[in-house]
Amino acid sequence: MCAAYSLQMRSACNAESGEHMCGIIGYVGARKVLPILLGGLERLEYRGYDSAGVCVLQNGKIVWEKSPLSMTSGEKVKHFASTLNAKKFDGTTGIGHTRWATHGEPNRTNAHPHFSSDGKFALIHNGIIENYQELKKWLKKRGFRFRTDTDTEVLIHLIHKLYRGDLAKAVAGAMKRVEGSYAIGVISTHEPGRIVAARLMSPLIIGLGKGENFIASDSPAIIKFTRKVHYLEDGDFASLTADKISITRQGGKRVRRKTHTLTYDIAEAEKGGYPHFMLKEIYQQPEAIADTLAGRIKKNFAGVTFGRLGITDAWLKKCKKVVFVACGTAYHAGCVGRYFLRDVIGLDAQVEFASEFRYFPPELDKNSLVVAVSQSGETIDTLVAVREAKKLGAKVLAVCNVQASTITRESDATIYTHAGPEIGVASTKAYATQLAAIYLLGISLGELKGKIKPAARKRWLRELSEIPRLAQRTLEKTKLIKQCAQKYRDCTTFLYLGRGYNFATAYEGALKLKEISYIHAEGYGAGEMKHGPIALVQWTYPTMAVAPRGKMYPKMVSNIEEIKARNGIVLCVASENDRAIKALVDHVLPIPEVSEELSPLLAVIPLQLFAYHVAVVRGCSVDQPRNLAKSVTVE
Ligand code: AGP
């Protein structure tokens, strides 16, 4: 057994906190606003929080309450709600906020909403004001007094200072002076029945109701009331009353934003009977992959169609280079895409970390295609990489799971994954659907460039269409995974090994274990073992090997033999009818036979489940691991 891990490790697992993102909700209409605000904030809990607050316009006053709310000790929005005297709040316009501290510790003073010194303006904010120190100095010189240590407070004093009878104008004037990122909601006793909102780099949507309208950072907060939404663009301002919405740019020019219809239902955004969103999303993978493939494989597997893509076939046919750019799990999907394009399509393909790309971009020109892979479509590093790629003349194709998210709106085209809302911070079904979309893209490029023969294309597409069924079968073999999770729960480190297409699988499996169970896990190319890591092998340092049948299998077997020769423990994801491997390793996590090229779609499933079950037996907060964000929208 591995060295027993210390008790504080177990308590550390319970010392969870959320993620670096805030929840925003606002309502203007005829209903009592308080329950709508609190219900909306509850639906945004998954974004993480360390305080919560609401404020309501009524009888010429702003009535408010806010307080620290410790996710680490399991407090929920309903705990905050229970402290409110509902009778105090009977207005019909209001804003609510769950905060994850970026500036200023999580206490009642620093919680949002923030108020002007005369108490007539209130504001909530998600994002970071980068020049807040300079603005604070400027405002203090003009007699403004600050009550909080937050960056946000400068906004409400600026708006107050600039107000000349038009709240939307005052907000626009204030944001003109601001550098950084924001999604804000503002109300004032001067203009009852109105909310003014603005967004730059932090997501914000408008919900369109009948005689009522909403603002929210994400759709689960308002889907109960409306499925019609506008996604605000960077630099948009919105002024909402119960029956009117006007969206403008700096300077007041009106713009129209498309009305999108939310297709998922509220149950989907809930756990649907699973103990955690993550487990539900792991089990949704067959359906998510099927949904992502649906309508994109021509009859009789004759080819791929993405419908009206914003990049023409003629352009794709002549593109010379493909660069995947992404972060985290999405980066691992790009690693698989790189090999598939190189190996099957014969294309010059690369993959880059978005956080590196923006400073050290590869050589790009007008014949380059940059594929930005992102579940949320809001990851700031990937968004900035998209902008950099366009500046360098490349065409940008997003592979994304969120309709009209910022990255999709700034890309030339988008292949949407249809994974449905992914709430668990650890990405699972989004990864599976990113792979499915990338394989389709590869086959489509191969078709356009005449790089794969019709028979081969047919074979790939037929096999790809089999994956949902094979993934379902993989999900049925979990007993051994749970046993392994029990057996290795106290390990302090794990080595994940893979080669070729499953090099990325090893990295992805290690990331899953790290991010939800807090066990150190290292993804490594198996061929690199002899260049160092083999020195670490001993019985307290188990290895998870990914070795399905294929070109790399013999090499993987010899790497595993090297580890076994040094008394290393080896768990191995392997093809289900591979008898030889059973004699070699300590535990086999079986997957159905599939081409090595497509095996990442199946090989990752046992690793997701292993990480999940280890995290559960270690008492960790699976859906909201400490220090992590579902989407990293601030740098
Ligand atoms: C993966 O489990 C993590 N949640 C994280 O690495 C994530 O994949 C990364 O932050 C990228 O997010 P995106 O796909 O929304 O851009």
Side-chain angles (χ1 to χ4, degrees), residues 160-173:
H160 177 199
K161 174 162 178 49
L162 297 171
Y163 186 72
R164 300 285 181 279
D166 180 330
L167 186 57
K169 277 215 178 93
V171 170

Side-chain angles (χ1 to χ4, degrees), residues 36-188:
I36 295 173
L37 300 180
L38 295 170
L41 293 180
E42 254 186 88
R43 293 234 183 288
L44 295 174
E45 276 173 346
Y46 70 86
R47 298 163 72 89
Y49 53 86
D50 48 40
S51 58
V54 291
C55 71
V56 171
L57 277 179
Q58 62 195 48
N59 317 325
K61 282 197 173 46
I62 294 180
V63 178
W64 60 273
E65 190 44 80
K66 54 184 185 172
S67 78
L69 194 63
S70 161
M71 178 184 252
T72 51
S73 44
E75 284 185 331
K76 299 281 181 192
V77 168
K78 60 167 149 329
H79 292 94
F80 168 63
S82 64
T83 65
L84 304 180
N85 166 6
K87 291 201 198 60
K88 220 178 99 181
F89 299 84
D90 66 5
T92 61
T93 300
I95 50 180
H97 187 267
T98 44
R99 174 177 185 247
W100 172 261
T102 50
H103 293 77
E105 61 169 87
N107 58 30
R108 184 165 187 264
T109 309
N110 290 332
H112 300 212
H114 290 290
F115 306 97
S116 56
S117 44
D118 64 359
K120 296 185 182 311
F121 298 85
L123 169 139
I124 52 177
H125 166 231
N126 178 20
I128 291 185
I129 307 303
E130 289 175 4
N131 63 333
Y132 84 97
Q133 297 284 17
E134 160 207 330
L135 292 171
K136 194 164 182 172
K137 224 159 71 202
W138 186 81
L139 287 160
K140 277 184 169 172
K141 268 205 201 113
R142 286 151 182 82
F144 284 87
R145 295 156 49 76
F146 283 77
R147 286 179 286 234
T148 81
D149 324 322
T150 66
D151 54 337
T152 301
E153 194 183 355
V154 296
L155 301 180
I156 197 63
H157 293 317
L158 265 179
I159 291 164
H160 177 199
K161 174 162 178 49
L162 297 171
Y163 186 72
R164 300 285 181 279
D166 180 330
L167 186 57
K169 277 215 178 93
V171 170
M175 303 326 279
K176 219 168 167 175
R177 290 165 167 74
V178 162
E179 286 155 31
S181 59
Y182 52 81
I184 59 170
V186 189
I187 57 175
S188 169

